[in-house]
Amino acid sequence: MKKRIAIPILLLCLALVAAACSSDTDDATTTTGGDGGSSDTTTTTEGMTEASVLRAAITGDEDTINPYTYISGFPGWNLLMMQYDSLMQLDANGEPQPWLAETVTTNEDLTVWTLKIVDGVTWHDGEPLTAEDVEFSLEYFMEKATGRFSRDLSSVEDVTSDDTTNEVVITLGATNPSFDLVALADVPIIPEQVWAEIDTPGEATYDISTNVGSGPYMLVEYEAEQFYRFEANPDYFRGAPQVDELVVVVFADDSGALAAIRSGEVDVNFERVSPEQIDLLAGQGGLEIAQGPEFTTQMINFDASKAPFDDLAVRKAMSLAIDAQDIVDTVFLGAATVGSPGWVHPDKAVYNPAVQPEFDPAAANAMLDDAGYADSDGDGVREYDGEPMAFELITNSSDSLRLRIAELTAEMLAEIGMDITVASVETATWEEAVWPGFDINNGRNYDIATWGWSAPIQANTIRVAELVNSDPSIGFLNLTGFSNPDVDTLSAALLTEADEAAFETGIMELQQLIADNVPFVMLAYPDGAYVYNADVYSDYEFIAGQGIVSKLSFLPDSARP
């Protein structure tokens, strides 16, 4: 990862030069700077719907944001998909709808998917986008693995295309009931004329000439650690974007991005606004807040493969000692949903209401007493294997909310005899400790850590298998090293369960198993809150569970699914 820096001077220069549901979109609101109130359940307001130049803030460089170089799930993937298109696109309700594919059909057991590609779509270089490009894209990702997209396509057995009919047929090796959501609405389609000559995409050095997509924006300039400049694609097949030029400026942290939106140096913050800032920003003339429930997560991880965290009694006691409601009230000022110990968001149709968070420090202490974790010397810290239960809780220094979560967690765990030291480090150091090389086969280098996943992991409920299954081919996001045979068996079975009623029964049971075995401690699902200058542009689309950072926010209403 690169060191991240802020560039307030660059903003002035730019101004001179250019100048992954069940949630419903009615839950999203816009808070207006004029009176601090809310509009009637919409993320847009009356006013300007077009802009020549829009300046957006992000925190952290995302490299050259092509499918092999973008860094983060949010906002890296979101910026990637401004340039590229997928075969399906999430609508405002978070449901996949046909996009590059004009129609999508499947057989009864959901193993054969037939897609008719929209006629007349062109790449940014003017070449036509064909069914053969789609076949090439899927096979390229499968052959030349790139983490997210190769995993999306792991169930694909065969792909064929017919440029005469402009159809693609995808055959799966097994039933995958969420293939439309996890693959068709996620994987970017790439041009064969660019990528066919690139044999080792993970090792190559890229420039913006590689960023040839079919999407509404084209990356035309990039200064590392400073800014990205995107130009609208006037020939976009869904309609020309309403913003002609999008300048995305890189800041070191959220405080720099907030200062820029207040001063007018940027027009929208693509990073979520912390709860304590919402009323302050809404009170400033011209600024508005698009707010609604999201599927991002905040959680506490521990290395469950080593003592004492390999003991369920310790993990369960930690869960009982952490007051998630207090964290929601104190850190998020109520602008979050308390986390379910079974992982699934309460707004999801398959949420198990019987699985409820518990806060009971007395029970936690009794559990540790019964398990033999005593404080033999009376210093207030329990021991295990002759060592004090003293651990480091690592968090990333760029995220002030996570730092506060870590501090509160340390205080709560002290009540059950655990001595926790908070280590606030650079994001790259934190990531390398929790997820070395972004490959769980590299193990873990931490005791306890704050963590969180972007919205797509929660949006597709069965993706919880990726977090809890001990088989690395399934649980490739199992960052805690958790292992339980019952969880493994059920989570693997649900991946191919096509019967809706059977899946619902199974996912309910899986939530209870996860809550009982505590592979991590779920804290909260924070609301998404995005501040923007409505005098510059206001027609943002809040995708349920996902937020406003998507191509839909910049397309005409008639072009949105």
Side-chain angles (χ1 to χ4, degrees):
M1 299 288 180
K2 302 174 181 176
K3 184 178 179 182
R4 288 148 182 187
I5 57 175
I7 49 162
I9 294 176
L10 173 68
L11 287 166
L12 299 177
C13 297
L14 289 174
L16 293 173
V17 175
C21 308
S22 303
S23 297
D24 191 276
T25 48
D26 286 348
D27 290 331
T29 61
T30 299
T31 303
T32 308
D35 60 9
S38 299
S39 70
D40 54 347
T41 64
T42 177
T43 60
T44 62
T45 58
E46 295 297 322
M48 181 176 290
T49 58
E50 296 183 358
S52 57
V53 180
L54 186 75
R55 298 159 299 172
I58 62 172
T59 57
D61 188 87
E62 290 289 347
D63 211 304
T64 51
I65 32 183
N66 73 48
Y68 282 86
T69 61
Y70 83 98
I71 295 172
S72 69
F74 179 90
W77 176 82
N78 305 69
L79 295 177
L80 173 77
M81 299 309 287
M82 297 283 191
Q83 307 166 76
Y84 296 87
D85 286 306
S86 46
L87 294 164
M88 302 184 78
Q89 168 67 42
L90 297 186
D91 63 15
N93 293 317
E95 299 292 338
Q97 303 296 340
W99 196 252
L100 272 181
E102 183 177 294
T103 59
V104 179
T105 58
T106 186
N107 64 345
E108 186 174 349
D109 67 358
L110 309 180
T111 57
V112 179
W113 297 71
T114 303
L115 301 93
K116 171 69 167 65
I117 307 305
V118 175
D119 291 323
V121 181
T122 59
W123 297 106
H124 294 157
D125 61 7
E127 294 292 321
L129 187 156
T130 66
E132 185 177 339
D133 283 308
V134 175
E135 179 184 1
F136 168 82
S137 299
L138 304 186
E139 291 180 343
Y140 190 89
F141 285 130
M142 289 188 289
E143 293 170 6
K144 300 178 179 6
T146 176
R148 175 174 183 158
F149 304 127
S150 62
R151 290 192 297 262
D152 288 349
L153 300 168
S154 60
S155 60
V156 175
E157 193 171 77
D158 184 58
V159 183
T160 60
S161 64
D162 184 340
D163 277 348
T164 303
T165 60
N166 220 20
E167 285 189 340
V168 175
V169 178
I170 304 171
T171 303
L172 309 184
T175 297
N176 186 345
S178 60
F179 187 69
D180 55 349
L181 178 62
V182 75
L184 301 182
D186 192 69
V187 175
I189 302 304
I190 57 178
E192 183 174 8
Q193 70 268 20
V194 171
W195 291 89
E197 304 302 317
I198 302 173
D199 292 326
T200 55
E203 300 173 6
T205 300
Y206 290 94
D207 58 39
I208 60 173
S209 64
T210 312
N211 292 58
V212 176
S214 61
Y217 285 94
M218 302 171 284
L219 180 62
V220 296
E221 188 176 5
Y222 164 56
E223 290 292 337
E225 311 287 354
Q226 296 184 28
F227 72 95
Y228 300 84
R229 186 165 64 87
F230 298 89
E231 287 184 355
N233 175 6
D235 301 318
Y236 189 52
F237 76 105
R238 289 280 177 174
Q242 299 182 107
V243 173
D244 296 332
E245 185 173 303
L246 180 61
V247 178
V248 179
V249 184
V250 181
F251 289 87
D253 51 37
D254 50 7
S255 61
L258 284 172
I261 191 74
R262 287 194 186 99
S263 68
E265 293 178 72
V266 298
D267 310 307
V268 60
N269 192 346
F270 277 175
E271 303 286 351
R272 301 170 184 90
V273 176
S274 58
E276 70 272 13
Q277 296 291 334
I278 292 175
D279 288 343
L280 294 173
L281 291 166
Q284 182 172 328
L287 297 185
E288 297 186 5
I289 308 289
Q291 185 173 358
E294 288 195 352
F295 295 148
T296 57
T297 53
Q298 293 288 354
M299 55 207 293
I300 295 294
N301 281 3
F302 26 65
D303 186 348
S305 69
K306 68 182 183 183
F309 309 109
D310 58 350
D311 186 343
L312 176 57
V314 172
R315 302 197 304 272
K316 187 66 175 178
M318 291 175 67
S319 177
L320 289 169
I322 298 174
D323 188 349
Q325 183 65 62
D326 186 24
I327 288 174
V328 165
D329 294 340
T330 303
V331 178
F332 298 101
L333 304 181
T337 300
V338 172
S340 166
W343 169 259
V344 177
H345 194 291
D347 281 354
K348 301 287 287 182
V350 293
Y351 165 70
N352 186 344
V355 179
Q356 291 293 322
E358 296 180 73
F359 172 60
D360 193 341
N365 274 304
M367 187 174 293
L368 292 175
D369 289 342
D370 292 343
Y373 297 96
D375 175 13
S376 60
D377 57 10
D379 65 352
V381 180
R382 296 175 184 272
E383 294 95 30
Y384 73 103
D385 296 337
E387 297 292 330
M389 295 184 78
F391 307 103
E392 179 181 82
L393 195 170
I394 189 170
T395 190
N396 56 321
S397 57
S398 63
D399 191 324
S400 58
L401 294 181
R402 274 210 185 104
L403 178 57
R404 184 61 179 136
I405 288 171
E407 292 169 342
L408 287 174
T409 297
E411 293 175 11
M412 293 170 183
L413 293 180
E415 296 299 315
I416 61 168
M418 298 181 72
D419 181 14
I420 307 299
T421 301
V422 174
S424 177
V425 300
E426 289 188 351
T427 298
T429 303
W430 169 68
E431 289 173 338
E432 186 62 20
V434 180
W435 197 4
F438 302 108
D439 184 350
I440 65 164
N441 293 303
N442 294 332
R444 292 156 296 282
N445 298 310
Y446 74 99
D447 293 324
I448 310 174
T450 61
W451 196 256
W453 294 104
S454 56
I457 306 296
Q458 181 70 232
N460 181 13
T461 308
I462 190 49
R463 291 195 67 180
V464 69
E466 299 167 9
L467 278 65
V468 297
N469 196 291
S470 64
D471 179 347
S473 67
I474 298 174
F476 47 81
L477 302 180
N478 184 347
L479 305 188
T480 68
F482 169 77
S483 179
N484 178 276
D486 293 333
V487 170
D488 285 351
T489 299
L490 182 54
S491 61
L494 288 175
L495 289 170
T496 58
E497 181 54 73
D499 182 80
E500 187 174 343
F503 177 83
E504 182 172 346
T505 299
I507 199 67
M508 294 282 183
E509 182 183 346
L510 182 60
Q511 290 171 70
Q512 187 64 63
L513 277 173
I514 290 171
D516 290 343
N517 288 280
V518 198
F520 39 69
V521 179
M522 273 299 305
L523 300 176
Y525 317 97
D527 287 354
Y530 303 84
V531 59
Y532 60 92
N533 186 334
D535 293 334
V536 177
Y537 184 76
S538 63
D539 201 10
Y540 296 97
E541 180 87 278
F542 198 113
I543 297 178
Q546 307 263 355
I548 69 168
V549 188
S550 80
K551 65 184 66 173
L552 298 192
S553 282
F554 304 106
L555 295 178
D557 289 346
S558 59
R560 301 175 184 180

